[in-house]
Amino acid sequence: MKSGRQAGRAPALIHQAIPSQAVAEFVMSSGYDGTIVDLQHGEVGLDAAVAMLRAIPRDRNEYAYARVGSLDPAPILRLLDSGARGIIAPTIETADQARALVEATKYPPLGGRSLGPSRPSLYAGDDYVAAGNSAVSAIIQIETARGRENAEEIFAVDGLDSVYLGPADLAVSYGLPGRGDWTEGPVYDAVLELSSMAHAAGLTFGLYCASPAYARDLIAAGIADYVGLGIDLVLLTRTAREAIESLRSTS
C-alpha cells in the first residue's frame, strides 16, 4: 500500500495460510482486492509462496502481499522477484528493524535489493529501478507495546510505505486476550493513535479485522486505508462447522 490516502474503495485482503495456488485464484475471483501470503504462521513455505504469488493475475496483483517470518533479505528477494507487491514485516519494534526492511525491499538508492530477471516486465516504466520502488510497498507491522512506544521514530524511516497493526498480539502485550476488533481499551487507543501518526508521516494504515462490520466502521471513519479481512483457515473452519451443525440439527 503506497504512501498517501487511497482514493475510492478501501482494499480488503485475506490472510492466506493454506499453501494453495487455487485458494489464491478463488479468493481473487470472489471479490477480494488482494491476499497476504502468510509465511509467518501456517504451513506456507517459500516455494509454495512464490507459486501462489505467480497464480495471481498480473493485472490484479497490486495487493499481492507476503508476510515474512523474519527480516532475512534472501527470502524477501525471492518473494519480490516472484511478484510480491508488498512485504509485511511483523513485530517491528525499532527504527533499525524498519531500515532493514527497506534495505531488503527497495532498490538503491533507498535500499539494497538486487536486480534479477525472475519475471519478465515485472514493473512498467522507463526507469525500472524507480518503477520497482514505486510499485513495491515496505510495510511494518506494529503488534507490541514496545513497537507502539517507538512508533514516532519507526515511522520516520525513509522508504517505508505503510503501517499494518496486529491487534491480537498487541492485546497480549498488554496482558489482554489475544483477539481483534477492539472498540475500547489500549488496543483501540493504539489503533486511533497509530493511524493518526501514520497519516501524519505520509504512510497508509491498515489492520487485521475479523468482522466485516468492524472493518467497515474503521474505513468509514477514515481510520483504516485498507484491511486484512479474515484468514482462509478460519473462514473454511467456520463454514464447515456451520454446515455440519445445520445437517445434524434436530430443531
Side-chain angles (χ1 to χ4, degrees), residues 13-20 23-24 27 34-53 56 63-70 75 79 84 86-91 141 143 164-166 168-169 208 228-234:
L13 288 63
I14 191 169
H15 280 249
Q16 190 174 346
I18 299 173
S20 166
V23 171
V27 164
T35 182
I36 299 173
V37 178
D38 199 343
L39 289 85
Q40 182 191 23
H41 299 295
E43 299 180 0
V44 179
L46 185 57
D47 287 342
V50 298
M52 290 156 64
L53 290 166
I56 299 172
Y63 305 111
Y65 290 173
R67 181 165 68 174
V68 294
S70 74
L79 292 165
I87 298 295
I88 300 177
T91 323
Q141 183 163 342
E143 51 187 342
Y164 190 67
L165 188 142
D169 282 307
Y208 175 79
L229 184 62
I231 304 169
D232 56 1
L233 279 172
V234 174

Side-chain angles (χ1 to χ4, degrees), residues 107-175:
Y107 292 121
L110 282 175
R113 179 185 172 188
S114 172
L115 285 161
S118 179
R119 296 186 72 177
S121 304
L122 193 55
Y123 310 120
D126 294 333
D127 186 333
Y128 189 82
V129 167
N133 282 348
S134 177
V136 171
S137 294
I139 306 160
I140 55 167
Q141 183 163 342
I142 302 294
E143 51 187 342
T144 65
R146 185 185 178 208
R148 179 187 178 186
E149 291 167 0
N150 294 332
E152 184 174 4
E153 180 183 358
I154 294 170
F155 292 4
V157 171
D158 189 31
L160 292 180
D161 298 291
S162 187
V163 178
Y164 190 67
L165 188 142
D169 282 307
L170 182 58
V172 170
S173 76
Y174 284 115

